Amino acid sequence: MKLKRRRFFLFGSLTTLGAGVISFLGRQNSNYTYTAAVANTVVSAKPKTKDLLLRFVSVADTGTGDRGQYSVARAMTEYHSQNPYDLILLAGDNIYTNGEIEKINEVFERPYASLLQKGVKFQAVLGNHDIRTDNGYPQIKYVNFNMLGRFYTFRRDKPGTACAKSDRIQFFALDTNNNADWKNQLIWLENELSRSNAPWKIVYGHHPIYASGVYGNNPTFIKIFTPLFQKYGVQLYINGHEHHYERTKAINGTTYLICGGGAGTRPVGHSDWTDFAAQKLSFAAYEVYTDRIEISGIDTDNRIFDKGIILI
């Protein structure tokens, strides 16, 4: 893996982010990544910005119904009250331990009741625990997971819009499980990416491609996805499976974001391509603009512990 980058460091105080270090990472093909280390910034409402296309959040490995899941759900609800959003990417392991759909009230409907009542739409993918019951089919049918199949795509832009060809953000949801229909799925993914005219292309699935946790990198996925993402200009890949938060530097133009601290955590290390990693109960929030995506890692104390920006 080649990481060509130029670094510039600016030291100083950040009025809204707290004291920190700002680093500018050089061009990865057509993309730049800007990152800022933040010190316990409390989530607050942002001023309205005319060029904001979409605000959404992602979370994974949630479906326990225990205290950790409720803590993260409350933080997601608090963030919504300050910065409204209407989309959540649910990146797998939605129902522990064996994907039993009869647990849906305990592990999904009750923890996220407030967000569901506000009309927030969840778009789910299947994790390895989800396919243990009928290969995940009951979850695909479940209306509030809004799955259009085992893998599917949808487009978004301003709140309340979806599927319009003019929408500038396109999401590609994958089935990354071992028993997935890989042959047809990869043909479908390349076809959809090649046809897409969306400036922002975001792919998500359950399993990591790059990770510094218990499971680590997936060499097969690196060989498959890294060149595909580079070829078609995918700026962001989001996943769970590892129970931590981790954001990479741009790797051949793509940032990889793990948001698997939705109910529990496991230790995480640090790789040479890691920009930020933390063992925290947390979720990730994103603001998509015409020229950038702003990423925030948010913990159960409603504090922003990580901040990154992808520039198109």
Side-chain angles (χ1 to χ4, degrees):
M1 177 192 64
K2 249 174 160 177
L3 289 177
K4 296 181 180 177
R5 61 183 183 275
R6 299 186 300 274
R7 277 186 176 270
F8 301 88
F9 293 94
L10 169 64
F11 294 87
S13 69
L14 303 177
T15 306
T16 58
L17 296 180
V21 178
I22 302 178
S23 63
F24 291 87
L25 302 181
R27 181 178 288 272
Q28 304 289 331
N29 296 329
S30 61
N31 300 316
Y32 287 88
T33 302
Y34 154 94
T35 63
V38 284
N40 293 326
T41 307
V42 179
V43 170
S44 60
K46 293 185 178 180
K48 291 185 178 179
T49 311
K50 288 183 179 179
D51 66 340
L52 176 65
L53 301 178
L54 180 69
R55 180 184 293 121
F56 69 97
V57 309
S58 71
V59 69
D61 303 276
T62 55
T64 63
D66 66 11
R67 186 178 302 174
Q69 182 183 11
Y70 274 89
S71 295
V72 176
R74 283 192 294 271
M76 292 165 61
T77 302
E78 176 60 26
Y79 180 75
H80 183 278
S81 71
Q82 298 285 336
N83 300 281
Y85 58 87
D86 66 354
L87 172 64
I88 296 173
L89 305 185
L90 193 60
D93 282 358
N94 313 309
I95 304 175
Y96 283 108
T97 297
N98 297 308
E100 309 97 317
I101 196 66
E102 59 269 21
K103 291 183 177 179
I104 196 68
N105 183 260
E106 174 189 350
V107 304
F108 178 74
E109 292 173 352
R110 281 209 302 263
Y112 306 115
S114 179
L115 292 168
L116 289 167
Q117 290 165 9
K118 290 176 170 64
V120 178
K121 187 175 184 178
F122 289 75
Q123 299 268 179
V125 294
L126 296 172
N128 53 294
H129 284 268
D130 300 316
I131 63 173
R132 292 181 180 180
T133 294
D134 197 13
N135 202 21
Y137 186 63
Q139 292 192 39
I140 295 172
K141 293 194 300 180
Y142 175 61
V143 63
N144 285 328
F145 281 169
N146 295 290
M147 296 178 67
L148 306 176
R150 305 192 79 85
F151 47 90
Y152 60 99
T153 183
F154 61 98
R155 298 178 72 133
R156 290 293 303 270
D157 200 319
K158 298 292 185 182
T161 70
C163 299
K165 289 184 179 179
S166 61
D167 284 352
R168 286 166 281 186
I169 308 131
Q170 186 164 0
F171 296 90
F172 305 83
L174 302 182
D175 176 5
T176 60
N177 287 291
N178 289 334
N179 67 345
D181 181 1
W182 281 106
K183 180 180 178 181
N184 289 321
Q185 180 172 211
L186 290 174
I187 292 171
W188 167 86
L189 179 61
E190 181 152 22
N191 285 341
E192 291 293 335
L193 287 172
S194 67
R195 289 166 35 187
S196 176
N197 64 352
W200 291 110
K201 299 176 183 69
I202 299 170
V203 180
Y204 68 106
H206 180 62
H207 293 84
I209 300 174
Y210 295 94
S212 305
V214 173
Y215 299 106
N217 292 346
N218 186 319
T220 301
F221 280 12
I222 289 173
K223 290 178 182 178
I224 292 171
F225 290 113
T226 303
L228 193 64
F229 292 171
Q230 182 178 11
K231 181 178 180 179
Y232 294 108
V234 173
Q235 296 97 348
L236 180 62
Y237 176 78
I238 299 167
N239 67 274
H241 195 54
E242 296 275 18
H243 294 188
H244 64 257
Y245 175 96
E246 186 172 11
R247 178 175 54 81
T248 74
K249 302 167 185 175
I251 301 174
N252 295 329
T254 305
T255 297
Y256 296 81
L257 193 289
I258 296 173
C259 56
T265 66
R266 288 194 292 251
V268 57
H270 192 282
S271 303
D272 58 359
W273 37 257
T274 302
D275 219 357
F276 190 91
Q279 182 183 348
K280 280 180 175 287
L281 287 170
S282 59
F283 66 97
Y286 312 79
E287 291 193 338
V288 185
Y289 298 85
T290 55
D291 62 344
R292 69 195 186 278
I293 298 178
E294 298 184 4
I295 304 171
S296 299
I298 302 173
D299 64 19
T300 53
D301 293 322
N302 303 307
R303 293 186 178 274
I304 299 172
F305 59 85
D306 175 53
K307 196 79 172 176
I309 299 179
I310 302 170
L311 299 179
I312 200 165

